[in-house]
Amino acid sequence: MALYTHDPIERGTKASEWLTKNSAACTPAQLAMINANRASWMGAADSVQLMGQMDGILEAKATSSPELMAALYGTKPSPPRKSDTVTSASAQSTTPRPTVVAAAPVSTVPTTAVVVPAQPGGPVPGAAGGPPGAKPAAPAAAAAAPVVQQKYFNTKVRDSVREFFAQSRGSDVCPPGTIMREMRCEAIIAARKWKFGEPVSGDLTLKEVAPTLLERLGPPPAGHRFVQVGVDVLLLADDGRVIDAVLDLGQVPPRLPAAQPAKKA
């Protein structure tokens, strides 16, 4: 009944009437279960008055159930005097009903838009209204998140770069410009002429990144571009500063010759 009565006032009234009518026939265990589920069943209809009514019913039932009395109070007190016994009927009769306050009706009269008069030099930014046919102002573009130095190329991107150059190196052991060292392909010359956070020098040759690799990298962040310097893929800012890099073409593993089968004696 409580779950299918959606109006809180009606739900509270029905629950109170049901308790008054049926609580005497309930066992102590059933009353304890009702009280334990009261908040979830009643929702917004749960009130101090309903809680007081339920407590009165439980106390009245507890006089003949030492187990329930122990569950309510933690001990088994002596039975109360007859004059102190509170019945559910008396608790219900003295419990005031909550005052119902009607919600204020929603006004259906359309509000009048306040038009801010135009100032010399153009309309006021953010002002409502405007001349007929005028286009609304475009929303301001969200500020782009700053690119953290040496934090742009994640593991997934570096793996994509390595796979691209591993597939496009041909039959060589290592891609051009690299040599095998300790079972991986590295730059032939270890010294690099660029540094993180500094602009690349003018004597370096900047190559455009292959279109197929660009598809793997995705579009660069605003104000940045991808270039290849030797065997390194760099992310440069518009001012030429090196923001991040994938070194040695992602450290492509060398292509080792297949093992020849041993000749039979």
Side-chain angles (χ1 to χ4, degrees):
M1 179 191 66
L3 293 176
Y4 288 98
T5 305
H6 301 294
D7 181 77
I9 300 299
E10 183 182 0
R11 183 164 63 245
T13 302
K14 284 187 175 182
S16 179
E17 292 173 351
W18 189 95
L19 288 172
T20 302
K21 180 179 179 181
N22 300 289
S23 61
C26 294
T27 64
Q30 290 172 332
L31 289 175
M33 183 192 68
I34 293 174
N35 193 46
N37 291 278
R38 189 190 74 245
S40 59
W41 290 348
M42 300 307 297
D46 195 17
S47 61
V48 176
Q49 290 81 5
L50 191 62
M51 180 177 64
Q53 181 182 359
M54 194 71 213
D55 289 344
I57 295 172
L58 286 169
E59 290 177 2
K61 185 70 70 170
T63 57
S64 58
S65 174
E67 291 78 11
L68 182 58
M69 185 71 74
L72 289 175
Y73 302 108
T75 58
K76 296 182 179 180
S78 57
R81 292 176 299 176
K82 191 173 183 179
S83 59
D84 294 337
T85 303
V86 180
T87 62
S88 60
S90 62
Q92 172 64 16
S93 62
T94 57
T95 302
R97 298 301 302 158
T99 303
V100 180
V101 180
V106 179
S107 174
T108 58
V109 179
T111 58
T112 304
V114 179
V115 179
V116 180
Q119 301 294 328
V124 177
K135 295 182 179 180
V147 181
V148 182
Q149 185 172 307
Q150 295 182 253
K151 295 293 185 181
Y152 181 80
F153 291 125
N154 55 31
T155 303
K156 183 178 180 180
V157 174
R158 295 178 188 276
D159 291 344
S160 297
V161 174
R162 180 171 59 253
E163 291 172 1
F164 170 79
F165 286 106
Q167 296 168 1
S168 60
R169 66 180 167 187
S171 59
D172 296 335
V173 175
C174 286
T178 62
I179 188 173
M180 185 174 67
R181 288 194 185 97
E182 298 181 359
M183 296 305 296
R184 63 184 182 186
C185 299
E186 297 182 354
I188 297 175
I189 302 175
R192 289 182 166 86
K193 296 183 179 180
W194 57 263
K195 295 181 179 180
F196 288 108
E198 296 183 7
V200 291
S201 59
D203 60 342
L204 291 179
T205 302
L206 306 183
K207 292 174 53 179
E208 296 292 335
V209 176
T212 309
L213 179 56
L214 278 177
E215 293 179 3
R216 295 172 179 251
L217 295 176
H224 297 74
R225 62 187 176 123
F226 298 121
V227 297
Q228 184 175 340
V229 178
V231 293
D232 301 328
V233 178
L234 307 182
L235 174 65
L236 299 184
D238 282 344
D239 57 4
R241 289 180 299 111
V242 180
I243 304 302
D244 205 353
V246 179
L247 306 179
D248 299 331
L249 305 181
Q251 297 184 348
V252 178
R255 185 193 300 275
L256 301 178
Q260 299 294 331
K263 295 182 179 181
K264 293 183 179 180

